[in-house]
Amino acid sequence: MATFLMLLMDTNISITIILIREFFNKILILQLFIPTMNENKDQRVQQLDVKCETKTKAMSAYGYEIVQTLIVDIEPDEHVKRAMNEINAAARLRMAATEKAEAEKILQIKRAEGEAESKYLSGLGIARQRQAIVDETIQH
């Protein structure tokens, strides 16, 4: 069931409200004419915000062509919101896992560099120790 509400205003003479409603595959049109003979009425554009679910392509079958509509707020279905939140959460978890793996990789590299430096210095110490032994035996 779809409902369409059109508000046609002539600010000095009248307000016409047209309600088009689809009910059991029948189109019901209700037109309400409200005379307003107010000469002092403001000439600014007035806006009526209406929340409704509509399918604009179904209107051409009834002789109406919707040329342009202004959409100011989109409110997706709860299932769509939940799915979008799950997609965002999965992307954040994937990014967090990548960052964690990168941090572990850096730790392993630094650990290996530290061990290599330690072994190099240990080998350098042993080499100096042997050199000192050789130098001492030559002097005696």
Side-chain angles (χ1 to χ4, degrees), residues 70-138:
L70 174 65
I71 300 173
V72 293
D73 187 27
I74 297 175
E75 186 74 26
D77 186 48
E78 285 299 319
H79 297 294
V80 174
K81 283 184 187 178
R82 194 174 309 117
M84 290 169 64
N85 287 337
E86 288 176 6
I87 289 169
N88 289 336
R92 285 192 300 274
L93 287 173
R94 191 169 40 252
M95 190 183 319
T98 302
E99 292 295 326
K100 184 178 178 183
E102 193 67 32
E104 289 176 5
K105 174 184 165 186
I106 291 170
L107 285 174
Q108 287 180 351
I109 290 171
K110 292 298 179 184
R111 191 176 300 121
E113 287 174 352
E115 287 178 16
E117 185 71 20
S118 173
K119 289 179 181 179
Y120 169 76
L121 292 175
S122 177
L124 189 61
I126 292 173
R128 287 183 181 163
Q129 197 176 34
R130 289 181 181 162
Q131 185 65 41
I133 292 172
V134 168
D135 288 344
E136 192 173 302
T137 39
I138 293 177

Side-chain angles (χ1 to χ4, degrees), residues 4-20 29-37 41 46-48 50 64:
F4 300 95
L5 178 67
M6 291 187 283
L7 180 64
L8 308 172
M9 299 181 75
D10 182 347
T11 55
N12 289 327
I13 301 170
S14 67
I15 298 174
T16 304
I17 299 174
I18 301 174
L19 177 67
I20 303 171
I29 298 176
L30 173 67
Q31 184 172 355
L32 181 62
F33 178 76
I34 304 171
T36 59
M37 294 296 194
K41 191 143 185 168
Q46 296 181 3
Q47 175 178 325
L48 175 65
V50 178
Y64 291 96

Side-chain angles (χ1 to χ4, degrees), residues 39-70:
E39 295 291 329
N40 298 328
K41 191 143 185 168
D42 197 356
Q43 293 293 320
R44 288 180 289 172
V45 174
Q46 296 181 3
Q47 175 178 325
L48 175 65
D49 292 330
V50 178
K51 288 186 176 184
C52 62
E53 292 185 21
T54 61
K55 294 183 179 176
T56 56
K57 289 183 180 179
M59 291 304 293
S60 62
Y62 304 112
Y64 291 96
E65 180 182 358
I66 298 175
V67 177
Q68 183 180 15
T69 59
L70 174 65

